[in-house]
Amino acid sequence: MTSEAKPDQMAYYDREKLGQVDLRPGGADWMDVPVNMRPGSFIYPAKEKHLQYFGLPNPRQWFPTDPDWKLPANWKEIIIEGMRERLSKYRSFQVFMDICVRCGACADKCHFFIGGGDPRNMPVLRAELLRSIYRREFTQAGKILGRLAGGRELTVDVIKEWFYYFYQCTECRRCSVFCPYGIDTAEITMMGRELLHLLGVNVNWIMEPVANCFRTGNHLGIQPHGLRDTLDFFADDIEEATGVRVEAPLNRKGAEVLFVTPSGDFLADPGTYTCMGYMCLFHEIGLDYTFSTYASDGGNFGLFTSHEAMKRLNAKIYAEARRLGVKWILGGECGHMWRVLNQYMDTMNGPADFLQVPTSPLTGTRFEHARSTKMIHITEFTADLIKHGKLNLDPSQNDHVRVTFHDSCNPARAMGIFEEPRYILRSVCNHFHEMPENTIREKTFCCGGGAGLGTDENMEMRLRGGMPRASAVRHVHEKHGVNHLAAMCAIDRATLSTVCEYWVPEVRVTGIHELVTNALVMKGQKKREVNLRLEPIGAQAEE
């Protein structure tokens, strides 16, 4: 089955249809089924130059379908010692290896298993890929009884299996919500990927952004003059739409706020319109802020690489905050930036004692929950502005929009931001509809392209993984006429655009602050006839 298949074929449940979904258990033991490296379901390996730049081991040319992956001669020793080190360093890793009773509560919760039917994409079995080696090498029962105790030998085929399935996990943690023991399968995926990195087994769609971010401050490798030009282009389009000329301060020392957003907001539609929304909002309220060319990207692909890479990339934001002398940091609509900050910041880089607790200069609200990281989410900031009546909003300008909201996994499950974006959407749109309760908030389905999986060569797996979310979108489209899906994550907006185009083509994807600015009545604006996409708005759009 390829991505050229029609949606009804892709979602067809029949064991006899080759490549199509079948959720019934197979007859063979999973340890006896070899990996099928099917094009469309794996990602291309990292290029040598990116591994060399970031100082990672075994840079070389290889491909997943090659018989020989050119692993180091002592690859088995490297893996075993790598596991030993991490079992000692991360208590959670040891606990997660020991306490799973294979109850199956997580089995049908993964979007990749639902959309693809591969048993090894059940979270319990994906973790077992690593746990079986742990049992064989680090438990007495496994050393003596081997397979009878759930252990197996570490072979090259196991490494290939790890590569295939640990890069079919978006680390979304939906399975963890349903685990009675609280096992975080995403942490197991992260450990599996870290071990693969010790052998130079990586994917390019993660390692190139990591190398770019380490070198230029953003995943796309945008140079300072390129960022300046991009923001100026945005200002031109804003002026055409609103008649108001906005400025985007860059590298300005002494500003009160450092604003950091994902690089997808600079170059990837529909994120570009979200970035234009930020600029309009900040101009309208007179926020004393600055962008940075050194910390131009808040996204952190280190989350998909290793704990060390995560720490190195997160550090640049705080180094720049210190250099520019700002008081606190405001972050844009991003996913992994917020999971890193909320779950790992304090133990990796923080607390940021040289900054002040974020306090809104317009409302006086002191965001005490950010007293350690000194950084708040843009939806928290904007919801507070709306609550205190600081924005002049005309939601009728979005009357052509019937919107639902996708809870992005990292800000939602990892950070608990559930109500602020909904409060904003209800304030700027007259037509808001929720998807079914078991698909939103902490139970939200993933976009299918997070954790470095959102590349085109992986298209079949992306479409299969995005099918559960698309099914919920189709439900509200058919029931309520929903035609817009809002998301507060750059990867989600980019990935869901493709997912909706395939599964629900009647629905387009938008950022929250794009809709905010389309409803914002700016001082000195001309009569609003078009939105930030230069399309008719409100009643004109409906006509």
Side-chain angles (χ1 to χ4, degrees):
M1 178 63 62
T2 70
S3 59
E4 296 177 357
K6 302 297 183 183
D8 59 340
Q9 295 174 311
M10 182 80 83
Y12 192 79
Y13 290 75
D14 189 340
R15 180 186 295 279
E16 306 305 321
K17 300 289 185 178
L18 182 63
Q20 294 181 347
V21 179
D22 180 10
L23 299 183
R24 293 173 293 177
D29 190 296
W30 69 269
M31 292 189 187
D32 298 326
V33 180
V35 174
N36 177 20
M37 291 281 179
R38 191 175 70 255
S41 58
F42 64 80
I43 308 175
Y44 297 159
K47 297 177 181 178
E48 293 178 76
K49 61 181 181 180
H50 302 312
L51 299 189
Q52 290 169 343
Y53 187 85
F54 207 64
L56 293 176
N58 199 23
R60 70 208 183 284
Q61 290 187 354
W62 65 285
F63 199 73
T65 55
D66 292 342
D68 182 6
W69 282 17
K70 302 177 184 176
L71 302 178
N74 63 334
W75 67 268
K76 186 177 292 189
E77 177 185 345
I78 292 172
I79 291 294
I80 298 303
E81 289 306 310
M83 287 188 70
R84 191 186 314 279
E85 177 187 349
R86 284 157 181 77
L87 288 166
S88 173
K89 186 175 182 181
Y90 303 111
R91 177 62 178 163
S92 60
F93 185 29
Q94 176 80 64
V95 171
F96 295 157
M97 289 293 97
D98 284 332
I99 66 173
C100 177
V101 296
R102 290 184 272 192
C103 67
C106 66
D108 61 346
K109 305 306 186 295
C110 177
H111 45 285
F112 286 118
F113 176 64
I114 296 171
D118 189 332
R120 279 178 282 201
N121 272 329
M122 291 188 287
V124 59
L125 189 43
R126 190 188 295 116
E128 204 70 16
L129 304 180
L130 189 57
R131 191 177 286 117
S132 59
I133 303 303
Y134 164 77
R135 287 200 184 102
R136 177 66 179 81
E137 299 292 338
F138 295 95
T139 70
Q140 199 64 35
K143 291 177 180 178
I144 296 172
L145 300 175
R147 188 159 172 163
L148 289 175
R152 61 173 175 159
E153 294 289 336
L154 179 59
T155 66
V156 171
D157 286 341
V158 169
I159 298 300
K160 293 183 177 182
E161 190 179 53
W162 285 3
F163 172 80
Y164 191 66
Y165 289 103
F166 287 140
Y167 286 101
Q168 287 183 18
C169 171
T170 50
E171 302 179 13
C172 79
R173 303 168 70 245
R174 187 174 194 264
C175 52
S176 302
V177 172
F178 297 90
C179 177
Y181 291 92
I183 295 173
D184 190 341
T185 309
E187 292 278 353
I188 297 174
T189 292
M190 292 165 68
M191 290 296 103
R193 290 187 182 186
E194 278 202 28
L195 294 172
L196 289 173
H197 279 277
L198 299 177
L199 305 181
V201 178
N202 341 70
V203 298
N204 197 66
W205 210 76
I206 292 176
M207 293 317 304
E208 183 170 349
V210 167
N212 284 341
C213 201
F214 193 61
R215 182 175 64 254
T216 67
N218 61 78
H219 293 144
L220 301 176
I222 305 171
Q223 299 294 329
H225 61 279
L227 181 59
R228 174 77 277 169
D229 289 345
T230 298
L231 295 176
D232 287 344
F233 290 147
F234 288 170
D236 292 341
D237 283 352
I238 290 169
E239 187 171 16
E240 183 176 352
T242 68
V244 177
R245 185 70 188 181
V246 306
E247 299 296 333
L250 196 58
N251 296 333
R252 186 165 64 84
K253 289 189 175 183
E256 181 175 358
V257 178
L258 170 62
F259 180 66
V260 182
T261 196
S263 53
D265 286 353
F266 300 130
L267 290 179
D269 292 345
T272 52
Y273 308 113
T274 303
C275 189
M276 292 162 64
Y278 305 144
M279 293 167 62
C280 291
L281 175 66
F282 298 158
H283 173 85
E284 181 64 16
I285 65 176
L287 185 67
D288 181 15
Y289 82 106
T290 185
F291 284 96
S292 161
T293 54
Y294 174 69
S296 53
D297 196 335
N300 194 326
F301 271 39
L303 178 63
F304 318 141
T305 309
S306 69
H307 289 76
E308 181 60 30
M310 194 194 322
K311 177 180 179 178
R312 291 164 72 180
L313 296 186
N314 188 63
K316 75 180 187 304
I317 298 175
Y318 290 89
E320 186 68 341
R322 187 186 295 274
R323 185 184 75 85
L324 294 176
V326 301
K327 294 180 180 179
W328 54 278
I329 310 171
L330 179 62
E333 295 183 23
C334 181
H336 38 85
M337 168 170 69
W338 289 107
R339 181 161 170 211
V340 170
L341 283 160
N342 193 53
Q343 293 192 319
Y344 301 102
M345 165 67 187
D346 280 349
T347 53
M348 291 191 313
N349 306 103
D353 292 334
F354 64 95
L355 295 172
Q356 299 178 14
V357 175
T359 302
S360 173
L362 285 91
T363 68
T365 298
R366 183 178 168 92
F367 297 92
E368 288 290 346
H369 65 284
R371 59 185 175 274
S372 179
T373 64
K374 308 300 193 298
M375 186 170 181
I376 62 169
H377 194 284
I378 184 70
T379 58
E380 299 174 290
F381 182 72
T382 303
D384 179 65
L385 292 174
I386 295 173
K387 180 180 178 180
H388 287 87
K390 298 299 182 180
L391 301 181
N392 185 5
L393 299 171
D394 179 7
S396 69
Q397 295 184 161
N398 282 323
D399 271 353
H400 60 295
V401 174
R402 285 159 178 78
V403 65
T404 191
F405 177 64
H406 164 71
D407 290 276
S408 300
C409 300
N410 287 318
R413 265 191 291 271
M415 199 177 180
I417 299 183
F418 299 125
E419 301 309 323
E420 291 89 344
R422 289 174 167 82
Y423 178 73
I424 294 171
L425 289 173
R426 288 190 174 99
S427 299
V428 302
C429 297
N430 288 322
H431 308 287
F432 174 78
H433 303 279
E434 289 279 21
M435 287 181 277
E437 190 63 34
N438 64 336
T439 72
I440 59 174
R441 293 185 170 87
E442 69 274 5
K443 297 178 182 178
T444 184
F445 275 115
C446 182
C447 67
L453 274 62
T455 181
D456 288 350
E457 69 264 22
N458 195 41
M459 187 57 72
E460 179 187 334
M461 193 52 57
R462 284 174 54 190
L463 293 176
R464 290 192 182 280
M467 189 264 283
R469 168 46 77 219
S471 297
V473 174
R474 175 161 291 284
H475 172 78
V476 288
H477 167 68
E478 293 175 348
K479 185 175 182 179
H480 301 293
V482 163
N483 55 18
H484 281 70
L485 173 62
M488 58 176 180
C489 169
I491 284 182
D492 284 0
R493 288 192 294 271
T495 301
L496 288 170
S497 293
T498 303
V499 167
C500 286
E501 182 181 353
Y502 184 79
W503 293 107
V504 202
E506 304 87 351
V507 177
R508 71 196 309 186
V509 178
T510 178
I512 293 174
H513 281 77
E514 176 184 352
L515 296 178
V516 169
T517 292
N518 287 339
L520 183 64
V521 180
M522 302 177 68
K523 293 183 287 290
Q525 72 173 29
K526 65 182 182 182
K527 181 180 179 182
R528 294 290 295 277
E529 297 179 344
V530 295
N531 59 20
L532 292 176
R533 304 188 190 203
L534 303 181
E535 301 168 340
I537 60 174
Q540 301 170 77
E542 291 188 318
E543 291 172 4

